[in-house]
Amino acid sequence: MNNKSKSDSYAAAGVDITAGYKAVELMKKHIARTVVNSANSDIGGFGGLFALDLTNYKNPVLVSGTDGVGTKLKLAFLMDKHNTVGIDCVAMCVNDVICCGAKPLFFLDYIACGKNVPEKIASIVEGVAEGCVQSGSELIGGETAEMPGFYPIDEYDLAGFSVGIVDKSKVINKEEMKEGDVMIALPSSGVHSNGFSLVRKVFDVENCDLYKPYEELGGKGLGETLLTPTKIYVKPMLALFDKITVKGVSHITGGGFYENMPRAIKKGLSVKINKEDVRVLPIFKLLQKVGGIDERDMYNTFNMGVGMTAIVDSSDVEVALETLKANGVDAYVLGTIVKGDDGVILC
């Protein structure tokens, strides 16, 4: 900690420089868990360094993704629980990167807050570090900005970005897709990090009892269920890429089925899905019931229990399901690729 750097005038304006130093010290133990191939001598420099090993790449391509957690953070504020939203932040980025076939390498975060409470900042970074561990990424740096008067004193925003790598020959190529291919679903862990503006409105989260157990949720409270971190699919998908050719991958985020699935499907083709084959999670059934939400709106806003999809040749389905199961994902057949420009056909 830099004991010489202190500004009483800045502190009077609401910015405590020393709190920033303390937060860095507290987060170091979490960051250390993520070390993969670091070239950093210490956290706190002006740039994050990463030693790039290109041994197994003929034509390396870097892939990047950036995102935040959105208004799911409101749940963290209300429940005063801050060590899981960092997992969401990492997940939203690395799950995008894996859709290209890329292996995430490193991650940087950005936390903007009304007041820097070192213990709270360290708790947020604890979650970020856990997300990095789950995705095999290294947390090589970040930024914490104390912005009094811009953010409420007890609130913050969280965003980040991931950089991954893939050989050009192994970039996911949807042009290889054909009629008869099969879409496989990788189940979600819950609402993930999308649609929370609607979720918050439906349940009136600022005024309801977030700890009240719901029979529909297996006795869990609403707050606990909604704060469940986004599932990270990196390691299972990398294992799948090693086994078979995957022709398309979709990360099901805001926009649900209708927006995300067509992005990974070849032009002139669509996916046909029988609704009874979708393993809809209880939280979505409760959302639809309480909010009186139209079925199409549900599938056009939420993941509905499907966090990621992979399109494979019909002859590779068994191997794909076995590989994903061996890597902790209870995947299942969701739909079939057919001719047409509808994108998604739910029937």
Side-chain angles (χ1 to χ4, degrees):
M1 184 180 297
N2 187 346
N3 294 315
K4 294 183 178 180
S5 180
K6 182 182 178 182
S7 171
D8 292 334
S9 297
Y10 212 2
V15 178
D16 185 352
I17 297 173
T18 58
Y21 298 142
K22 184 178 179 182
V24 170
E25 290 299 318
L26 291 175
M27 67 177 71
K28 281 183 177 180
K29 63 181 179 181
H30 302 304
I31 296 170
R33 295 180 56 218
T34 74
V35 173
V36 178
N37 197 24
S38 182
N40 275 343
S41 59
D42 196 12
I43 294 296
F46 290 99
L49 308 179
F50 187 86
L52 191 58
D53 182 2
L54 299 178
T55 304
N56 298 315
Y57 299 90
K58 291 183 179 179
N59 295 293
V61 177
L62 294 179
V63 180
S64 61
T66 186
D67 210 336
V69 182
T71 62
K72 183 175 185 175
L73 291 176
K74 288 285 189 179
L75 272 297
F77 304 157
L78 290 167
M79 299 188 71
D80 195 24
K81 182 176 173 59
H82 310 283
N83 65 344
T84 61
V85 289
I87 300 175
D88 291 292
C89 186
V90 176
M92 297 306 293
C93 298
V94 297
N95 284 346
D96 279 352
V97 166
I98 199 69
C99 290
C100 298
K103 175 184 178 181
L105 296 174
F106 58 83
F107 189 84
L108 284 89
D109 60 20
Y110 175 77
I111 304 167
C113 57
K115 180 177 177 57
N116 188 333
V117 179
E119 292 77 13
K120 181 186 287 188
I121 299 299
S123 184
I124 298 167
V125 174
E126 178 186 353
V128 174
E130 175 59 27
C132 286
V133 169
Q134 290 183 24
S135 63
S137 304
E138 184 167 333
L139 180 56
I140 64 170
E143 175 70 15
T144 301
E146 190 173 18
M147 302 167 66
F150 192 87
Y151 289 97
I153 195 168
D154 57 350
E155 295 191 2
Y156 57 85
D157 198 4
L158 173 62
F161 75 89
S162 170
V163 173
I165 189 169
V166 61
D167 197 86
K168 188 174 182 180
S169 64
K170 294 184 179 180
V171 173
I172 302 298
N173 182 13
K174 64 183 179 182
E175 293 307 311
E176 297 181 10
M177 203 174 298
K178 67 181 188 303
E179 184 180 11
D181 286 342
V182 175
M183 177 177 280
I184 290 173
L186 285 71
S188 69
S189 55
V191 184
H192 284 184
S193 298
N194 300 102
F196 271 85
S197 294
L198 179 55
V199 169
R200 288 168 42 241
K201 179 181 178 182
V202 167
F203 291 119
D204 189 18
V205 297
E206 282 81 6
N207 300 300
C208 76
D209 182 359
L210 291 170
Y211 298 93
K212 173 187 173 182
Y214 276 76
E215 182 179 345
E216 296 96 326
L217 302 177
K220 289 185 176 182
L222 182 63
E224 176 188 2
T225 301
L226 293 176
L227 266 186
T228 301
T230 304
K231 176 77 174 174
I232 292 177
Y233 300 100
V234 170
K235 292 180 180 179
M237 289 303 294
L238 288 176
L240 186 62
F241 297 154
D242 283 341
K243 287 284 187 179
I244 62 171
T245 297
V246 178
K247 303 180 182 183
V249 182
S250 292
H251 181 199
I252 311 303
T253 56
F257 284 32
Y258 288 109
E259 180 180 324
N260 293 288
M261 290 181 180
R263 294 163 66 182
I265 298 175
K266 181 180 176 181
K267 187 176 181 181
L269 296 175
S270 298
V271 60
K272 183 178 181 181
I273 300 171
N274 292 320
K275 282 182 285 190
E276 59 265 29
D277 291 333
V278 182
R279 299 178 186 176
V280 179
L281 293 176
I283 183 61
F284 296 112
K285 296 178 181 178
L286 183 62
L287 256 170
Q288 185 172 13
K289 175 184 173 183
V290 175
I293 303 171
D294 177 78
E295 183 180 69
R296 182 181 173 87
D297 284 350
M298 289 295 296
Y299 279 94
N300 204 175
T301 307
F302 302 109
N303 68 63
M304 300 302 287
V306 180
M308 182 162 282
T309 62
I311 297 173
V312 304
D313 193 275
S314 58
S315 63
D316 288 327
V317 170
E318 187 175 344
V319 173
L321 295 177
E322 289 175 353
T323 300
L324 291 169
K325 186 174 183 179
N327 285 274
V329 179
D330 187 20
Y332 61 95
V333 172
L334 180 64
T336 305
I337 300 301
V338 298
K339 288 183 179 179
D341 294 314
D342 298 298
V344 176
I345 304 168
L346 272 173
C347 54

